[in-house]
């Protein structure tokens, strides 16, 4: 391990990291695409979409029998959300979904990724289902299909039933993994006649570390590494059990996979050695979730690094976790690690970021468009993935309303143009990215930042609930219509 990539840095990754496990020496690789660049088309069947999640847009938190989620409790805890807001009302999407589906349609996209609120369907986490909760998603799915939009449903985008947190400690217990499988089976039996694609869990790399490790997301716990690693293992198990449950209870042919914020590693300079180093780093730094899901094992490096803090697991669990899936969703925003090659184990060197490195309106969102090229390319190679969706990508912007009432979000357009150009480059080279879901359809409750960070293609006035298309909506509509990035 290099000096500047210290144990402390690893610890901050909360168990993602591991050492040592080189996977063989890769041949030198070319990074020059066959035909790429602005103006070059995407494949004919490339799937353009947009995305949201339940707690961030639905509101109606006390309606039709919905139970509480950990985010209801967390957002109502003073001091947790920057602007003191909650998702109580959010975008009132629960009541305005028809209007919102029309907004999706106006973009010309073919797909919409939304999430299902577990506590609407099982208010208590397990046991008695609440049919009225599921009915909302029936209505939404029907509306989408009637509008020619393919629904992509996510089962877990962080709104765990509070009852499970209270009863068994949430993801600290494998009871939650089993409860998740029952919930998945119930939903699959009722929606997969129309919903053909299901994401199991969203961004394990964030919600486990932030919620159970650093205590800055719900449920706000600061667990020691051993318990954190165990919680992550329970989520991986939940994913695997849900895959089984969907296959058993859903319509045959239902496609399923996870959506993960892959720890995205980029070669600082794209030499063959650095590309190889980025590959090693990608595998090791994602060993705690993506790796175990896609390989059915934790890497030796991960286990060695975790030592006594390693999760406890059985061979049977690894088999469940590693069962084949139909696609991998990658949420890609910022480059997380720029790496170079190192002669010393584990074979890569993580470079420090200069403080002058540019970022978008959200400080964490460093601008590095090439990340959407490298992360899928490296992931596809390491894990032999055949179908990748970019399940989220986008940016916040100040989004001020100009004197003429419009929102000229030129920074978002700049961001998208550059990221999409890099994605096109990957596709042109044969990286198996089959679709892209822009985050987000509309401004919404941005977790700990409340309504202060706006990620939407549509601006939302949270007082009046008026939605106004930003300039970036016109930009995206143009990309989708041409199936290419305008020059
Ligand atoms: C999450 C979204 C979030 C977005 C922007 C992702 O981490 O899945 O829920 O709003 O990034 O921060």
């Amino acid at each position: 391990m290099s000096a500047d990539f210290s144990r402390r840095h690893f610890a901050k990754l909360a168990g993602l990291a591991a050492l040592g496990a080189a996977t063989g020496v890769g041949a030198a690789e070319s990074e020059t695409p066959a035909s790429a660049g602005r103006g070059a088309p995407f494949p004919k069947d490339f799937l353009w979409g947009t995305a949201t999640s339940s707690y961030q847009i639905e509101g109606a938190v006390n309606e039709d029998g919905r139970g509480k989620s950990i985010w209801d409790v967390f957002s109502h805890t003073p001091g947790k959300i920057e602007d003191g807001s909650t998702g109580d009302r959010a975008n009132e999407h629960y009541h305005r979904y028809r209007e919102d589906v029309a907004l999706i349609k106006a973009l010309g996209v073919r797909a919409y990724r939304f999430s299902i609120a577990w506590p609407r369907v099982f208010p208590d986490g397990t046991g008695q289902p609440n049919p009225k909760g599921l009915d909302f998603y029936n209505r939404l799915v029907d509306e989408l299909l009637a509008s020619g939009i393919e629904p992509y449903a996510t089962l877990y985008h962080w709104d765990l039933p509070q009852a499970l947190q209270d009863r068994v400690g949430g993801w600290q217990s494998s009871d939650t993994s089993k409860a998740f499988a029952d919930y998945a089976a119930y939903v699959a039996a009722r929606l997969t006649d129309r919903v053909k694609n299901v994401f199991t869990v969203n961004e394990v790399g964030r919600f486990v570390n932030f919620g159970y490790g650093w205590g800055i997301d719900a449920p706000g716990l600061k667990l020691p590494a051993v318990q954190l690693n165990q919680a992550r293992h329970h989520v991986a198990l939940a994913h695997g059990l849900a895959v089984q449950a969907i296959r058993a209870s859903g319509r045959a042919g239902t496609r399923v996979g996870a959506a993960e914020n892959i720890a995205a590693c980029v070669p600082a300079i794209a030499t063959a050695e650095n590309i190889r180093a980025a590959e090693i780093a990608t595998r090791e730094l994602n060993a705690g979730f993506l790796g175990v899901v896609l390989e059915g094992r934790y890497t030796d490096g991960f286990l060695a690094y975790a030592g006594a803090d390693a999760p406890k697991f059985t061979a049977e669990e690894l088999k469940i976790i590693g069962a084949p899936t139909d696609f991998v969703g990658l949420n890609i925003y910022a480059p997380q690690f720029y790496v170079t090659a190192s002669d010393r184990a584990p074979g890569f060197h993580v470079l420090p970021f200069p403080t002058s490195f540019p970022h978008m309106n959200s400080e964490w969102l460093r601008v590095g468009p090439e990340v959407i090229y490298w992360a899928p390319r490296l992931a596809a190679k390491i894990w032999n993935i055949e179908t990748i969706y970019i399940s989220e990508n986008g940016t916040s912007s100040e989004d001020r309303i100009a004197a003429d009432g419009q929102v000229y979000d030129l920074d978002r357009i700049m961001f998208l143009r550059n990221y999409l150009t890099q994605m096109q480059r990957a596709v042109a080279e044969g990286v198996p990215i089959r679709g892209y879901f822009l985050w987000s359809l509309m401004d919404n409750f941005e977790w700990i930042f409340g309504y202060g960070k706006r990620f939407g293609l549509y601006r939302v006035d949270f007082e009046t609930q008026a939605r106004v298309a930003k300039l970036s909506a016109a930009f995206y509509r143009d990309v989708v219509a041409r199936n290419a990035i305008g020059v």
Side-chain angles (χ1 to χ4, degrees):
M1 179 192 293
S2 71
D4 27 354
F5 193 43
S6 64
R7 200 179 162 89
R8 245 170 86 85
H9 282 86
F10 265 128
K12 277 178 91 174
L13 293 172
L16 284 174
L19 302 174
T23 50
V25 179
E29 292 164 75
S30 154
E31 63 148 336
T32 313
S35 90
R38 285 185 195 158
F42 282 84
K44 244 189 6 280
D45 54 353
F46 192 82
L47 189 76
W48 294 103
T50 184
T52 61
S53 88
S54 46
Y55 188 70
Q56 291 180 276
I57 64 167
E58 286 179 359
V61 292
N62 293 314
E63 290 182 45
D64 293 335
R66 176 186 180 276
K68 272 202 189 331
S69 82
I70 55 174
W71 270 95
D72 293 296
V73 173
F74 191 75
S75 66
H76 277 268
T77 309
K80 300 295 187 197
I81 309 298
E82 210 167 83
D83 61 0
S85 64
T86 70
D88 285 6
R89 197 175 160 212
N91 299 43
E92 296 183 352
H93 172 76
Y94 191 76
H95 296 296
R96 296 172 186 270
Y97 70 92
R98 282 205 179 84
E99 182 192 335
D100 293 337
V101 171
L103 301 182
I104 304 169
K105 191 171 179 188
L107 296 171
V109 298
R110 266 175 43 216
Y112 174 54
R113 175 174 176 243
F114 62 96
S115 82
I116 297 172
W118 183 353
R120 280 200 196 282
V121 183
F122 285 93
D124 207 28
T126 55
Q128 203 52 35
N130 171 37
K132 278 190 171 173
L134 192 84
D135 276 354
F136 168 67
Y137 301 103
N138 271 319
R139 294 195 292 278
L140 173 63
V141 164
D142 290 345
E143 187 70 19
L144 287 165
L145 290 173
S147 306
I149 300 159
E150 195 65 39
Y152 280 65
T154 304
L155 292 172
Y156 187 77
H157 201 124
W158 311 352
D159 39 3
L160 183 78
Q162 179 66 34
L164 282 170
Q165 190 61 45
D166 293 342
R167 262 201 323 271
V168 299
W171 293 112
Q172 286 188 259
S173 166
S174 61
D175 287 356
T176 298
S177 320
K178 289 174 202 133
F180 183 67
D182 293 344
Y183 154 63
Y186 181 86
V187 170
R190 286 156 186 83
L191 287 188
T192 55
D193 56 332
R194 287 152 295 149
V195 177
K196 300 190 168 57
N197 294 276
V198 179
F199 290 99
T200 52
V201 288
N202 180 71
E203 293 202 358
V204 176
R206 167 152 176 189
F207 80 79
V208 171
N209 296 345
F210 284 40
Y212 290 82
W214 301 334
I216 54 176
D217 273 359
L221 300 178
K222 293 184 183 167
L223 302 178
V226 64
Q227 290 177 40
L228 192 64
N229 287 335
Q230 198 61 46
R232 189 180 306 101
H233 178 74
H234 293 149
V235 179
L237 181 60
H239 156 86
L241 289 170
V243 171
Q244 280 189 345
I246 293 163
R247 302 231 194 278
S249 303
R251 186 181 159 124
T254 303
R255 297 166 73 238
V256 58
E260 184 59 356
N261 56 329
I262 182 170
C265 306
V266 175
I269 303 164
T271 62
E273 295 74 21
N274 291 346
I275 294 170
R276 174 68 193 139
E279 188 183 323
I280 297 170
T282 300
R283 180 165 181 252
E284 291 303 345
L285 299 176
N286 288 286
F289 181 73
L290 263 189
V292 72
V293 161
L294 297 172
E295 297 181 32
R297 59 179 293 246
Y298 289 109
T299 63
D300 297 340
F302 174 84
L303 293 176
Y305 173 75
D309 293 334
K312 308 249 172 315
F313 55 86
T314 65
E316 177 59 20
E317 285 175 350
L318 291 185
K319 220 171 124 198
I320 294 167
I321 292 170
T325 53
D326 301 288
F327 54 76
V328 176
L330 300 179
N331 292 2
I332 298 187
Y333 291 90
Q336 214 167 331
F337 304 106
Y338 281 98
V339 307
T340 53
S342 166
D343 291 342
R344 294 163 57 189
F348 61 92
H349 179 79
V350 171
L351 306 186
F353 275 96
T355 54
S356 54
F357 199 96
H359 62 76
M360 301 300 291
N361 173 261
S362 294
E363 275 178 30
W364 58 269
L365 218 174
R366 291 176 172 135
V367 193
E370 64 278 15
V371 66
I372 206 170
Y373 168 82
W374 285 109
R377 171 178 153 168
L378 296 170
K381 172 149 191 269
I382 299 164
W383 294 299
N384 212 2
I385 306 170
E386 279 170 22
T387 302
I388 292 176
Y389 292 111
I390 302 301
S391 32
E392 285 182 30
N393 170 250
T395 182
S396 63
S397 161
E398 177 192 25
D399 288 342
R400 192 184 327 167
I401 302 175
D404 61 2
Q406 302 295 309
V407 178
Y408 298 110
D409 52 341
L410 294 169
D411 54 345
R412 179 176 287 108
I413 293 175
M414 175 278 292
F415 177 96
L416 292 173
R417 185 184 285 124
N418 285 292
Y419 273 67
L420 292 177
T421 299
Q422 289 288 332
M423 183 172 78
Q424 196 279 337
R425 173 187 169 208
V427 173
E429 274 189 43
V431 177
I433 304 172
R434 311 287 183 217
Y436 171 90
F437 295 85
L438 198 155
W439 185 275
S440 179
L441 169 65
M442 53 186 167
D443 299 339
N444 54 49
F445 179 75
E446 177 55 14
W447 308 112
I448 52 176
F449 300 106
Y451 298 99
K453 294 291 178 200
R454 297 176 173 271
F455 274 79
L457 291 171
Y458 290 89
R459 191 177 199 284
V460 177
D461 178 325
F462 291 100
E463 284 306 312
T464 64
Q465 290 294 340
R467 281 94 156 119
V468 176
K470 302 175 190 174
L471 193 62
S472 57
F475 169 80
Y476 191 46
R477 190 167 49 233
D478 180 68
V479 169
V480 174
R482 293 172 198 254
N483 200 30
I485 304 142
V487 280

